């Protein structure tokens, strides 16, 4: 066991844990953040994705000891009671089916839009290709990402135009 300080969604946590513990277990079990999901536990499905230093990161294969920067989970996207445009776009496009994979879809999309605000269809498909959905929500994911990109762009320019994906 070791004393570890973890910054998550703006809050600092002092924890006494084995540094080899996967970050996902700590987020869910110790910090009660249930946005990130346990899917495969092998880094293959994306359900456990969080954002660290701007990078969509699979927390199931990330040992605590390797985390050096603040972590953002799904719970950290909304600000002052207002959903992040990606979350709002997900609702507008009614993306989820069973919902299990959607944490990974949203967090991966958010990290992409932060770096690539106007992604092409092929950039979206390429980025999202390894974030798996057994309910086949991929087409709605793509629409929601395009809607979110427009919402973000219109917020930045102060435009009040209606967003159509
Ligand atoms: S649970 Fe982490 S990638 Fe599948
Ligand atoms: S919505 Fe069911 S696995 Fe993606």
């Amino acid at each position: 066991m070791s004393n570890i300080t973890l910054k998550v969604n703006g809050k600092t946590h002092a924890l006494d844990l084995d540094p080899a513990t996967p970050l996902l277990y700590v987020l869910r079990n110790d910090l009660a953040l249930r946005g990130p999901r346990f899917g495969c536990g092998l880094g293959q499905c994306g359900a456990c994705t969080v954002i660290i230093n701007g990078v969509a990161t699979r927390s199931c294969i990330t040992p605590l000891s390797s985390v050096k920067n603040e972590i953002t989970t799904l719970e950290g996207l909304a600000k002052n009671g207002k959903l992040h445009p990606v979350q709002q776009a997900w609702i507008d496009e009614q993306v989820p089916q069973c919902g299990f994979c959607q944490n990974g879809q949203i967090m991966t999309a958010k990290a992409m839009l932060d770096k690539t605000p106007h992604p092409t269809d092929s950039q979206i498909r390429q980025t999202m290709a390894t974030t798996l959905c057994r309910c086949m929500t991929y087409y709605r994911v793509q629409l929601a990402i395009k809607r979110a990109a427009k919402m973000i762009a219109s917020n930045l320019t102060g435009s009040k135009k209606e967003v159509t994906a």
Side-chain angles (χ1 to χ4, degrees), residues 5-6 8 15 17-18 45 51 54 69 90 95 107 118 123 126 136-137 140-141 152-153 162-163:
T5 303
L6 217 54
V8 187
L15 302 159
L17 289 167
D18 182 343
C45 73
I51 298 175
N69 294 92
W90 243 249
V95 177
M107 298 307 280
H118 304 290
Q123 282 172 318
Q126 210 175 341
M136 281 298 292
T137 61
R140 293 197 297 278
V141 165
I152 292 165
E162 191 185 342
V163 173

Side-chain angles (χ1 to χ4, degrees), residues 44-45 58 105 108 122-133 138:
Q44 293 175 355
C45 73
R58 299 196 167 183
Q105 308 291 347
T108 307
S122 113
Q123 282 172 318
I124 294 173
R125 278 199 293 274
Q126 210 175 341
T127 303
M128 304 304 293
T130 58
T131 307
L132 307 182
C133 175
Y138 301 116

